[in-house]
Every structure is written in C-alpha cells, then in structure tokens.
Amino acid sequence: MREACLVVRSHLGQGRGAPKSKELLSSSSLVLQEWFRVSSQKSSRASKVGKYLEALGELSPALLAHVINLSDGNGNMALHYSVSHSNFDIVRLLLDTGVCNINHQNKAGYTALMLAALATMERQDDMATVRRLFDLGNVNAKASQAGQTALMLAVSHGRQEMVEALLACGADVNLRDEEGSTALMCACEHGRAETVQLLLAQPSCDASIADNDGNDAAAIAREAGHDNLAALISAHLTPSADR
C-alpha cells in the first residue's frame, strides 16, 4: 500500500490528459480498493482510519486530499459511506483533515450532507458531528435527480431532530424541488403536524408558495386529508392578508 501511494503521489498534479503507465493504473486501483476497504465498511474502525490518515498526511498533504476524496463506481466517497453506516467517529476524522470535499454529489445526485439528514444517531455526540457537517457543507444544495434538499429529505422521512438541526444551520425553508414543492408542502402531504408548526415558525417561511400545479401547502394538506394542517396554514396566512 505504501509503495502504491508513493507511485500515486509522484503523479499528482499531472493533467488529466497525461498518459498513465500500467504501474500508475495498478497502484491507483490498489490505493482505491484498500482505502474503501478500511474506511467505508459498516465494520470500519476509526482507530485504523486514523492511522491511515496520519500515514497519508506524512507522505504528502496532496496525497491525503487525493485519497480522502476518491470516489467509487457509484460516485460515493468514504464520507458518504461513513454517514450511511452511522460511523460518525470516522466522519469526524474525515472532517478534521480539512480537505474533504463535503459537497461532492454521488451519481444519484446526493451529497453526504443529504444522507446525514436520514442517518441514525447511535450516540449523543453523533448529532454534534452531524451539525458540524451541516455547518461546513452546502446545506441548501439540491439533489441532481429531483432537486430535493436535505431539509426536504428530512421532512419526508419524519426526521424531526434533523429538520431542527438543518434549520439551525441555515437551511432555506422556501426552496423548491423540480415539481415546485417546498419542505412545508412535503410536511403537509405526509401529515407531519409538528414539522408543519416548526416550519411555519420560521420568520422566512412563505406558506403561500404554489407548486408547478398551482397548489399551495394548504391545498396539498386538504387533498391529503389533513384538514387540521390546512386550517393551521390558513390561520397563519390570515394575519398577513389583513396587513
């Protein structure tokens, strides 16, 4: 692994069009496989990942950044897998390097931050790591396929603690996906009363926004059979109309 890293290091900085020798291709493949084996399994251990990061940094800061940001055939980096596996000790180590490309989207269009909005918290301090990820990354990035944000994903999956954390870290409550839907509309469709109340409590929340079909959040709530939520939104909008 060390020898392969040295080969890769010697070729860093060369343009994409530069010819690649068999030795470089073989070494690059070995480094990628070993890195994902160590860092990206459910059973991966932070202690071992930490030793790899330390060794890579000693060889070259550029090599450390290169390896951390490697992606597999699905476009996932170690950060994606660590978040998905709730290996937040590893997530913390990756963030500590300061060179992890947090906003990298995989081939499905998701960043690790978006996946974190759906992650399971196994320990109390895991949320601190998630909040740090939200702070460091683009909390308002949209997934390339449907245009959903991390906030929309958290709302649709009923992850109230993530909704609160995202809002605290600057998530825009009025962003719309490709269908024109907002997080509030999503909460209404799923009948999430607590989330609707939280979103409406945001000073910037515009409950009058309509989707591509011309339906606002109240209309979506009524259509989904959640008349209580429709009434809540109507009551919220009434003072604005009177002014």
Side-chain angles (χ1 to χ4, degrees), residues 124-185:
Q124 188 66 33
D125 59 351
D126 287 347
M127 181 54 80
T129 302
V130 169
R131 282 179 174 268
R132 184 180 173 199
L133 181 62
F134 290 167
D135 279 328
L136 291 172
N138 181 2
V139 76
N140 289 314
K142 293 184 176 183
S144 56
Q145 288 188 347
Q148 288 190 312
T149 64
L151 181 61
M152 295 173 191
L153 292 170
V155 169
S156 64
H157 287 77
R159 303 307 302 277
Q160 184 72 4
E161 76 282 12
M162 292 299 185
V163 173
E164 294 173 357
L166 286 162
L167 291 173
C169 293
D172 187 340
V173 70
N174 294 320
L175 287 180
R176 299 192 283 179
D177 63 16
E178 290 186 353
E179 296 180 350
S181 297
T182 64
L184 180 62
M185 295 176 190

Side-chain angles (χ1 to χ4, degrees), residues 160 184 187 192-202 229 232 236:
Q160 184 72 4
L184 180 62
R192 308 201 189 283
E194 186 179 0
T195 304
V196 169
Q197 292 174 332
L198 177 60
L199 296 175
L200 290 177
Q202 306 305 306
L229 298 184
L232 185 64
H236 176 81

